[in-house]
């Protein structure tokens, strides 16, 4: 599998993959998530390509304190071949090259398979509470106005 940075022509394939992997939720507009990522460290939106087809993704980011992984996806028909591990490793290498000391990620509590996958890679549950607050509503009927507009 070749791992490379996302290109605009990948958009529809990436969104289809995220849907197939059940990563898309009503409150997250995947197209807007891609647009936002392309404004900040676009080279850290990675795709895994096999035989000319996108079979995996990972979105990484680093804000100077911690790195983050989002949207790790491997096509269900290609799981169990080490592609997820390769994507995570590639993202970690790119974050480390920026001086990133630690990588964080969030997994939905009901996703035992993903939790097990990350634990196998050496990730551990941190003794923290994950909190969030939407600043932009992306759900159905949202206007996509950014704060201050």
């Amino acid at each position: 599998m070749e791992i490379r940075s996302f290109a605009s022509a990948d958009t529809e394939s990436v969104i289809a993959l995220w849907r197939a992997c059940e990563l898309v939720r009503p409150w997250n507009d995947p197209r807007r998530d891609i647009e936002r990522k392309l404004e900040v460290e676009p080279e850290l939106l990675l795709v895994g390509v096999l035989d000319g087809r996108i079979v995996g993704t990972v979105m990484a980011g680093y804000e100077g304190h911690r790195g983050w992984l989002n949207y790790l996806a491997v096509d269900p028909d290609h799981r169990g071949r080490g592609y997820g591990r390769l994507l995570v490793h590639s993202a970690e290498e790119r974050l480390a090259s920026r001086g990133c000391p630690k990588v964080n990620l969030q997994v939905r509590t009901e996703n035992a398979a993903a939790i097990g996958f990350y634990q196998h890679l050496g990730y551990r549950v941190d003794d923290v509470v994950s909190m969030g607050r939407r600043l932009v509503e992306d759900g159905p009927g949202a206007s996509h106005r950014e704060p201050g507009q």
Side-chain angles (χ1 to χ4, degrees), residues 40-111:
V40 181
E41 296 181 317
E43 67 281 3
L44 293 180
L45 175 50
L46 305 177
V47 295
V49 181
L50 186 65
D51 298 325
R53 183 171 164 247
I54 293 175
V55 297
T57 66
V58 65
M59 181 187 292
Y62 178 51
E63 39 41 20
H65 181 63
R66 295 282 186 259
W68 285 88
L69 298 182
N70 294 286
Y71 280 115
L72 176 66
V74 174
D75 184 293
D77 293 336
H78 291 84
R79 290 183 181 162
R81 300 178 192 177
Y83 298 147
R85 179 183 48 77
L86 290 172
L87 286 160
V88 169
H89 183 69
S90 182
E92 289 173 341
E93 284 182 336
R94 292 168 195 235
L95 291 169
S97 74
R98 288 168 162 74
C100 178
K102 182 178 187 243
V103 179
N104 287 2
L105 54 89
Q106 295 176 322
V107 178
R108 290 182 185 89
T109 55
E110 73 273 6
N111 194 342

